[in-house]
Amino acid sequence: MDQLLFAVAGHPVTLAELLAGAGALALLLLVAVLVAGARQARARALEAEEQARRAEELEDRLIELTRSQSEMAGRVQSMTEILAHRQGELARAVAERLDATSYRIGESLARANEATHENLMRLNERLALVDQARASLGELSGQVMGLRATLANKQARGAFGEGRLQAIIADALPRESFAFQHTLANGRRADCAIFLPGDRRPLLVDSKFPLEAITAFRESASPEARKQAETRLKQDVGKHIGDIAERYLVAGETQDVALMFVPSESVYADLHEHFDDVIQRAFRARVVLVSPSLLMLAVQVVQAIAKDARMREQADRIRAECGALVEDVKRLRERVGNLAKHFGRMGDDVAQTLTSADKIARRGGRIAQLEFSEPPETEDAGPAGLRGAAE
């Protein structure tokens, strides 16, 4: 046993030491194997427990899933029943709506049929009216032709313009403010005289107008014919302006201007558009060309002047009425002041009456509670005493 086998770092190793070392090493290996086996066994036990736990969880989940599936099946069945019920209600509602719609469509078709029949009847009536209008239009065309023939006559045309003038003047002015066929001191007779307030000189209006020249100007087909018509129109209108200025502008007897009435707005517009020199000539001659609308405007100005004159005439009376109105307002102010004083006295009486009512209420409360330690409160002698204290 003490046999020397080998030396390690100068230390001799014997057989006994070698055997002892081998045994110790084997023991250590055995311990290590046992520890490893124990660890593996413990790991297997833990793994088995984990698998068991997972199996239980899986089983719980399967149970929960089964319960959920059963609940879902119940819900699906309930939903199926609800859907079937709703489908039945929907089918019934659709059937009712279809019936109602069919009924409405039938009524609408009946009403449309009646309306169509009525419209056809009205259409027939309107066609009859169109036939009558066509006949009336034929008569109107004849009347227009007659009017054109009438206007072609100088005297008839003058009567037409004078009629329009009289209609405009008579509709707008009071009877004392105008006169037709007014005769001047020189023996001339004007178609219309308008009297301004506060002025004895009348404003004269002439209703005659040379229409042949403007008609030829409008109907001219060539530049030469148009130029000849322009020359004729300037001559005719210029001569008429000169006649009005000579006959109707009398110093001291008439106004400083006279009016030449053009009975057509279109003719008046043509004159202003194409014959400005004629308008300037009339202005220099103190003759103003007026259309029906401008004559109405002039008449409105005369109305305003007359109204202003009447107001000036009544100014003293208006002033007196205003003075009387001021006196009435002063008396009203005094009476309102007296009424306010009366209401003030009434307010004081009411306040003192409320004070007395409060005292009576307090005294009644003391009597009810049998409290007589305080001296009795004095009170005024009736409303007269209250009013005297208030005053």
Side-chain angles (χ1 to χ4, degrees):
M1 288 294 187
D2 295 331
Q3 184 181 356
L4 180 62
L5 296 178
F6 55 86
V8 177
H11 178 73
V13 178
T14 63
L15 180 61
E17 289 177 352
L18 180 62
L19 291 174
L25 180 61
L27 182 60
L28 289 175
L29 289 175
L30 180 60
V31 171
V33 169
L34 292 176
V35 171
R39 288 180 179 178
Q40 289 180 357
R42 189 166 53 251
R44 290 191 188 95
L46 291 175
E47 185 177 359
E49 291 178 359
E50 182 68 21
Q51 289 179 356
R53 185 178 59 79
R54 290 180 180 180
E56 291 177 358
E57 290 180 355
L58 182 60
E59 185 177 0
D60 293 337
R61 289 182 181 180
L62 289 175
I63 294 172
E64 183 69 24
L65 182 60
T66 304
R67 186 172 60 254
S68 299
Q69 287 179 352
S70 61
E71 291 179 357
M72 184 63 69
R75 291 180 182 178
V76 169
Q77 184 177 1
S78 300
M79 186 65 69
T80 304
E81 294 176 356
I82 293 172
L83 288 176
H85 180 68
R86 294 286 178 85
Q87 186 176 4
E89 292 181 352
L90 179 61
R92 185 171 58 255
V94 169
E96 293 177 355
R97 293 287 181 88
L98 286 176
D99 294 338
T101 303
S102 300
Y103 178 73
R104 291 196 189 99
I105 290 174
E107 289 186 347
S108 299
L109 290 175
R111 287 196 297 269
N113 189 14
E114 294 177 359
T116 302
H117 182 69
E118 292 179 358
N119 291 331
L120 289 175
M121 295 295 294
R122 292 177 183 175
L123 181 60
N124 291 330
E125 294 176 357
R126 291 180 180 178
L127 288 176
L129 293 176
V130 168
D131 293 336
Q132 295 178 2
R134 185 175 58 183
S136 300
L137 184 61
E139 295 178 0
L140 181 61
S141 299
Q143 294 176 3
V144 169
M145 295 301 295
L147 178 61
R148 183 174 182 181
T150 301
L151 294 178
N153 187 356
K154 184 175 181 180
Q155 294 180 352
R157 186 172 64 251
F160 173 75
E162 186 175 351
R164 292 203 65 183
L165 172 65
Q166 292 180 1
I168 294 173
I169 297 298
D171 289 341
L173 293 178
R175 186 66 187 86
E176 65 275 5
S177 298
F178 64 90
F180 297 123
Q181 301 300 322
H182 180 70
T183 304
L184 301 176
N186 57 7
R188 302 291 185 179
R189 180 176 295 178
D191 294 329
C192 179
I194 300 175
F195 302 101
L196 302 177
D199 195 345
R200 60 183 181 83
R201 299 175 302 164
L203 176 64
L204 302 181
V205 184
D206 186 84
S207 62
K208 303 175 185 64
F209 183 79
L211 188 62
E212 295 87 351
I214 193 68
T215 303
F217 174 76
R218 288 180 173 179
E219 296 179 354
S220 57
S222 62
E224 294 78 6
R226 187 179 182 88
K227 188 173 182 180
Q228 292 177 2
E230 288 181 358
T231 304
R232 179 184 175 185
L233 190 146
K234 291 180 181 179
Q235 291 176 355
D236 292 348
V237 177
K239 182 177 182 302
H240 192 56
I241 291 172
D243 294 340
I244 293 175
E246 180 182 356
R247 296 175 182 177
Y248 300 149
L249 295 179
V250 181
E253 185 179 357
T254 64
Q255 294 290 334
D256 295 334
V257 295
L259 303 181
M260 184 173 73
F261 179 64
V262 181
S264 174
E265 297 286 349
S266 60
V267 173
Y268 182 82
D270 288 339
L271 290 175
H272 270 269
E273 183 177 359
H274 302 288
F275 301 96
D276 185 67
D277 52 346
V278 175
I279 302 299
Q280 296 297 328
R281 180 178 177 180
F283 179 76
R284 289 192 296 269
R286 294 179 298 168
V287 176
V288 180
L289 277 69
V290 292
S291 63
S293 59
L294 290 179
L295 181 61
M296 291 179 185
L297 180 61
V299 168
Q300 291 178 1
V301 173
V302 173
Q303 287 178 342
I305 294 174
K307 183 178 180 181
D308 185 66
R310 287 195 298 270
M311 290 185 64
R312 286 198 302 270
E313 292 175 358
Q314 300 295 330
D316 294 335
R317 185 174 179 180
I318 293 174
R319 190 180 297 109
E321 292 293 334
C322 290
L325 182 62
V326 170
E327 293 297 329
D328 292 339
V329 171
K330 289 181 179 178
R331 286 193 294 271
L332 178 62
R333 178 67 180 83
E334 293 176 357
R335 292 172 182 175
V336 171
N338 295 332
L339 185 61
K341 293 178 181 178
H342 177 66
F343 279 120
R345 289 195 296 269
M346 288 181 63
D348 294 338
D349 292 343
V350 170
Q352 294 186 6
T353 303
L354 292 175
T355 302
S356 299
D358 293 338
K359 291 180 180 179
I360 292 171
R362 289 195 298 271
R363 184 174 299 171
R366 288 197 302 272
I367 292 173
Q369 298 295 331
L370 299 177
E371 295 178 357
F372 303 103
S373 59
E374 297 180 1
E377 298 179 358
T378 60
E379 189 63 44
D380 295 334
L386 293 175
R387 188 176 296 108
E391 295 177 354

